[in-house]
Amino acid sequence: MAPSPFMLMDIPIDNITMDEALQRIFDAAVSYTPQTPSSHMHFVNAHCINTAAVNEEYRQVLIRADAVFPDGSGIRKAGTMLGVPVKDNVNGTDMFPLLCRRCAEQGMRMYLLGAKPGAAEKTGRWAAEHAGKEVIAGTRDGYFSPEEEQAVIDAVNASRPDILLTAMGVPRQELWLHMHRDALKVPVCMGVGGLFDFYSGTIPRAPLWMRRGGIEWVWRLMMEPGRMWRRYIIGNAVFLMHIKKIQRNMRKEGRKQP
Ligand code: UDP
């Protein structure tokens, strides 16, 4: 049995491995029927926790999600500070090739929605080259007006994907999925942030040694300093502050994480 999730601001973070996360996704996809609601599974990193601290709607969406995956070295550090050894770094970018492979094995398909025009399509081409073209149900960019929303939903539904990946940034992608939960007839929906930028080659991904050392954020800061300095330079300190506060409250109340 999977261990209980640990709590960050009442958001239950599933302390599971990448393999276990994939199992959850494909189990949900297999057991879906048009009468059951879609499963929403999201990745949560330090930036997401900082966002949830100031965006109650987003925090509620994460609290109600069907799974919340522990993404990145910040969540691992938070776990250590709160006495929870975090089992794995379950992030979308490492998961994507595994998702492609599992889709090919199980005859399932993904729809890629998000990023600048061309990036989802190129990511689809990457998937086709690595796992076969049948794993992609469709693609479209993430820049559309409220008037175009229904057409986007119709296009996704018409392509009958098993998994919908939205790459429109945190928290927009999660809030968008939540808002259209009933309209989207897709077994599993997940927000994946900048994933299409990496697989389309728009932004190079950090070298393996940086990823293994838990400092991928330094690379992302180097690649997009103008946009990322606030997220990482200020954000890392703010995140630490939030975790220290949770730690203090737990001590005061004599509570332990599960
Ligand atoms: N994006 C989008 N629609 C928008 C705003 C952003 O599709 O209205 C895309 C953007 O092009 C980029 C991704 O969302 O590909 C956000 O990437 P980021 O690395 O910021 O994701 P995060 O780390 O915030 O999840």
Side-chain angles (χ1 to χ4, degrees):
M1 210 177 73
S4 309
F6 64 102
M7 297 294 190
L8 296 180
M9 296 177 186
D10 291 334
I11 300 164
I13 317 273
D14 290 295
N15 193 5
I16 56 179
T17 64
M18 183 67 90
D19 279 347
E20 290 165 339
L22 284 161
Q23 198 58 46
R24 291 273 284 272
I25 294 165
F26 284 88
D27 283 351
V30 166
S31 58
Y32 175 81
T33 71
Q35 286 74 41
T36 53
S38 306
S39 291
H40 287 198
M41 305 196 180
H42 298 306
F43 300 90
V44 162
N45 58 26
H47 169 61
C48 301
I49 294 295
N50 288 349
T51 305
V54 293
N55 185 328
E56 182 58 17
E57 201 185 345
Y58 172 57
R59 192 175 76 94
Q60 289 299 331
V61 164
L62 293 180
I63 289 172
R64 288 170 174 71
D66 298 281
V68 175
F69 302 134
D71 173 359
S73 53
I75 298 293
R76 183 183 293 272
K77 172 132 184 91
T80 307
M81 287 170 68
L82 302 175
V84 182
V86 174
K87 281 168 112 185
D88 208 350
N89 173 357
V90 184
N91 65 82
T93 317
D94 286 333
M95 185 188 274
F96 185 63
L98 308 172
L99 274 177
C100 291
R101 202 165 59 210
R102 283 285 283 265
C103 278
E105 284 164 9
Q106 296 194 216
M108 291 196 175
R109 298 178 321 134
M110 290 181 280
Y111 192 102
L112 312 181
L113 173 65
K116 299 225 168 75
E121 197 186 328
K122 279 194 194 149
T123 303
R125 241 177 274 147
W126 186 97
E129 271 163 33
H130 289 80
K133 66 177 182 334
E134 54 288 345
V135 300
I136 298 300
T139 63
R140 112 139 257 176
D141 66 86
Y143 292 83
F144 45 84
S145 63
E147 293 74 42
E148 291 172 295
E149 230 151 57
Q150 191 55 50
V152 172
I153 294 167
D154 290 345
V156 171
N157 288 342
S159 72
R160 301 172 62 84
D162 300 282
I163 299 171
L164 168 62
L165 303 184
T166 53
M168 302 189 281
V170 168
R172 182 168 182 235
Q173 59 201 16
E174 289 82 7
L175 296 179
W176 191 85
L177 285 174
H178 183 72
M179 192 195 311
H180 300 295
R181 187 169 199 149
D182 294 336
L184 286 163
K185 302 293 174 204
V186 185
V188 179
C189 300
M190 300 195 278
V192 292
L195 189 146
F196 303 168
D197 293 335
F198 300 129
Y199 283 91
S200 62
T202 313
I203 300 175
R205 194 160 180 217
L208 199 59
W209 67 266
M210 277 187 137
R211 285 188 256 157
R212 289 213 171 122
I215 52 166
E216 184 162 15
W217 66 270
V218 176
W219 177 264
R220 291 202 69 190
L221 180 61
M222 278 159 50
M223 290 296 109
E224 295 183 90
R227 192 166 78 94
M228 292 297 177
W229 73 271
R230 195 185 294 275
R231 181 182 302 190
Y232 292 121
I233 304 291
I234 298 181
N236 286 356
V238 171
F239 177 68
L240 211 60
M241 222 175 61
H242 286 311
I243 303 304
K244 287 212 160 128
K245 190 171 164 203
I246 296 172
Q247 203 180 33
R248 266 199 315 274
N249 287 343
M250 277 170 55
R251 277 206 200 110
K252 226 179 348 188
E253 293 159 18
R255 266 189 304 120
K256 277 199 163 70
Q257 289 280 353

